[in-house]
Amino acid sequence: MQDGKEKIILHVVSDTLFFDSISERFEALDGYKNIYLFRAPKIEMHDIKRIRQKEKLIYTKSEKEWGRYFALPEVNIVFFHGLFYDAYKSYKYISKDKKVIWWTYGKDLYEANKYVSPLLDLKLYKKVTGRCFPCLKRKLLTDLSRVYGVLRGNIPRKRWIKRVDYCSTVFPIEYVLLKQLRYFRAEPFMLRGVRGFGEYKPVVKEQAGDIIVGHSATYTDNHLDVIEKIKHCSLHTRKIIMPINYGYEDFKAVLRKYKNIGGAEVIHLEKVLPRKEYFELVGNCTHAIFGAVRQQAVGNINGCMKTGVKVFLFKDSMDYKQFKQDGYIIYSIEDDLNQEELDKPLSREEVYHNWKTFYAILGFNNAADVQANVQKQFDSLYENE
């Protein structure tokens, strides 16, 4: 820090897979101290499933206990990791001297809950998946949330968003969409999120191998529409890797019923693998199909781009639009997901094109440069003070 005084960042977190790896990046900042605030009125500490480093958390149960941390005079920055319903009320507690940063998750932007309607409205479910009973329940929830949100539920969210000073989106095109909201005033901050470097070597595969389908047991992955597209293809001697290590239990039960698709054995990943091990598994596949329409599975897709995996996405998806705009070679589920393309891995030229494109967009030569950029971004918040 230029003034030599340590700044304190109050992180507002929920139970997500991102916490452990991302917190390490914040811990490496020079001149900053990190506090991690977790509010869970309905669950106990031992019920937190995805955060391994629970000892880092300040665990609060009541709104009053949780809210007082936002007004602490020593706190300089309030950094929201995603946006969940309880967080909306925090605008009442955050004192005016704090800088508020919102790191958006896909769920924040595109999905409804029983209190608020979707912030950015997309048709999330494709035809077959949308007819599945768990998804019918989700669609009903969305319809009800539109009514309640307009009448009452969206008001605290609007007030909270007005209070946000800086916004970090996973995709630049998402920030453009948010700017269209009349009450959104936040400046861009670390667009594309807090991305890691990940030094991967491109691999050219001569023969078609295993296929990744989806990245979690979430309804918005549209697994059933993907399965409908590939079930008549001949995939004998190959395996389909289907991660269901997190998501919704009722949808996990639906996906477990698929033991064989197109002659390929389906391997359901039930446990969260270490990051390196998981991306080695992804890199050993030759094809990956992600059916999400909203921004989702971005880390998985980036992993594919770095390791020579052919990726299929829906053309109307946020992922497809951003990756196409970035210049990657991407295949569409609607037009390209067929026997011929599933039998053919990426060419050497395509593999190296996607690998080079990823690192060109990242703009850094090593992990140290990535960390230096995060440091620079935070320090820039105080350049004019």
Side-chain angles (χ1 to χ4, degrees):
M1 292 302 303
Q2 291 181 348
D3 61 6
K5 184 179 179 181
E6 187 176 59
K7 304 292 185 183
I8 294 180
I9 307 173
L10 177 66
H11 299 266
V12 186
V13 302
S14 56
D15 189 8
T16 72
L17 289 170
F18 304 113
F19 177 81
D20 292 290
S21 59
I22 293 301
S23 65
E24 292 176 2
R25 188 170 298 287
F26 288 110
E27 296 291 343
L29 289 171
D30 181 37
Y32 297 85
K33 178 182 177 182
N34 298 279
I35 302 172
Y36 302 98
L37 184 63
F38 188 99
R39 186 186 173 209
K42 295 182 180 179
I43 67 172
E44 299 298 328
M45 188 71 150
H46 60 262
D47 292 325
I48 297 174
K49 297 177 180 179
R50 300 188 183 104
I51 296 176
R52 297 189 304 274
Q53 301 176 65
K54 297 182 180 67
E55 69 280 358
K56 289 184 176 181
L57 303 176
I58 296 175
Y59 180 80
T60 60
K61 298 205 71 171
S62 71
E63 182 180 326
K64 184 177 180 180
E65 181 188 8
W66 178 73
R68 70 182 181 85
Y69 282 91
F70 295 107
L72 290 175
E74 60 268 31
V75 170
N76 305 103
I77 299 170
V78 183
F79 193 107
F80 286 86
H81 295 242
L83 180 60
F84 45 97
Y85 180 72
D86 284 331
Y88 304 155
K89 302 175 184 178
S90 66
Y91 76 89
K92 299 183 294 184
Y93 302 98
I94 302 172
S95 53
K96 293 181 180 180
D97 60 317
K98 318 295 188 211
K99 297 181 189 297
V100 179
I101 302 173
W102 172 27
W103 179 26
T104 64
Y105 291 178
K107 195 177 182 73
D108 308 350
L109 302 180
Y110 305 105
E111 295 193 40
N113 63 38
K114 61 184 178 180
Y115 302 106
V116 294
S117 58
L119 189 61
L120 300 178
D121 216 350
L122 294 178
K123 188 177 179 181
L124 298 179
Y125 308 111
K126 293 296 181 178
K127 185 176 180 180
V128 182
T129 301
R131 293 199 300 257
C132 177
F133 181 66
C135 294
L136 289 174
K137 291 192 296 182
R138 298 295 295 182
K139 288 198 289 185
L140 176 60
L141 170 65
T142 300
D143 291 339
L144 292 173
S145 76
R146 293 183 202 282
V147 177
Y148 184 81
V150 169
L151 295 175
R152 184 178 179 182
N154 292 347
I155 295 172
R157 181 177 64 185
K158 287 181 180 179
R159 290 174 177 168
W160 184 88
I161 290 176
K162 283 182 180 179
R163 180 63 185 85
V164 175
D165 300 303
Y166 301 93
C167 184
S168 176
T169 57
V170 176
F171 287 153
I173 58 174
E174 291 176 313
Y175 181 80
V176 173
L177 291 174
L178 286 171
K179 286 286 286 183
Q180 296 174 14
L181 301 174
R182 58 182 175 78
Y183 50 87
F184 179 85
R185 303 167 182 171
E187 294 296 319
F189 182 79
M190 291 196 305
L191 297 188
R192 298 185 186 271
V194 191
R195 300 176 72 192
F197 178 73
E199 198 166 351
Y200 292 87
K201 299 295 184 185
V203 180
V204 179
K205 289 99 170 177
E206 301 296 334
Q207 301 293 328
D210 296 343
I211 305 167
I212 289 274
V213 172
H215 85 299
S216 64
T218 53
Y219 318 114
T220 51
D221 251 5
N222 287 302
H223 294 79
L224 304 186
D225 291 83
V226 171
I227 291 169
E228 186 67 22
K229 287 282 290 185
I230 65 175
K231 69 180 184 181
H232 300 299
C233 295
S234 178
L235 304 173
H236 298 83
T237 73
R238 300 168 71 176
K239 292 184 177 64
I240 289 176
I241 312 297
M242 191 177 291
I244 58 170
N245 39 31
Y246 71 98
Y248 297 95
E249 292 302 322
D250 54 358
F251 203 57
K252 288 181 183 180
V254 171
L255 296 177
R256 287 191 187 104
K257 295 177 182 178
Y258 292 91
K259 308 292 185 183
N260 185 288
I261 300 172
E265 178 188 2
V266 179
I267 307 296
H268 297 99
L269 292 185
E270 300 273 359
K271 295 182 179 180
V272 178
L273 299 176
R275 182 178 178 83
K276 183 178 179 181
E277 185 177 339
Y278 177 73
F279 281 107
E280 284 178 355
L281 176 67
V282 171
N284 287 331
C285 295
T286 56
H287 296 70
I289 313 166
F290 302 105
V293 175
R294 74 165 176 82
Q295 173 263 106
Q296 202 167 0
V298 178
N300 287 262
I301 299 170
N302 281 329
C304 292
M305 296 305 169
K306 292 182 283 187
T307 54
V309 179
K310 180 185 281 189
V311 175
F312 297 83
L313 303 167
F314 283 114
K315 289 193 290 187
D316 61 347
S317 72
M318 296 297 292
D319 291 347
Y320 185 91
K321 292 174 183 177
Q322 185 66 65
F323 280 90
K324 268 291 188 183
Q325 188 179 107
D326 289 341
Y328 289 102
I329 296 172
I330 294 282
Y331 290 79
S332 77
I333 292 174
E334 295 94 331
D335 299 334
D336 304 319
L337 189 54
N338 52 46
Q339 186 73 57
E340 180 182 358
E341 293 299 341
L342 286 172
D343 286 344
K344 186 169 57 176
L346 289 180
S347 68
R348 173 176 291 275
E349 292 75 18
E350 290 174 319
V351 168
Y352 276 87
H353 172 87
N354 284 347
W355 179 75
K356 290 176 182 177
T357 300
F358 174 84
Y359 288 104
I361 291 170
L362 185 63
F364 306 110
N365 296 317
N366 52 56
D369 286 348
V370 175
Q371 184 63 41
N373 179 61
V374 175
Q375 180 79 46
K376 180 181 178 181
Q377 296 259 7
F378 274 91
D379 288 350
S380 70
L381 298 176
Y382 297 93
E383 283 181 350
N384 298 320
E385 295 184 6

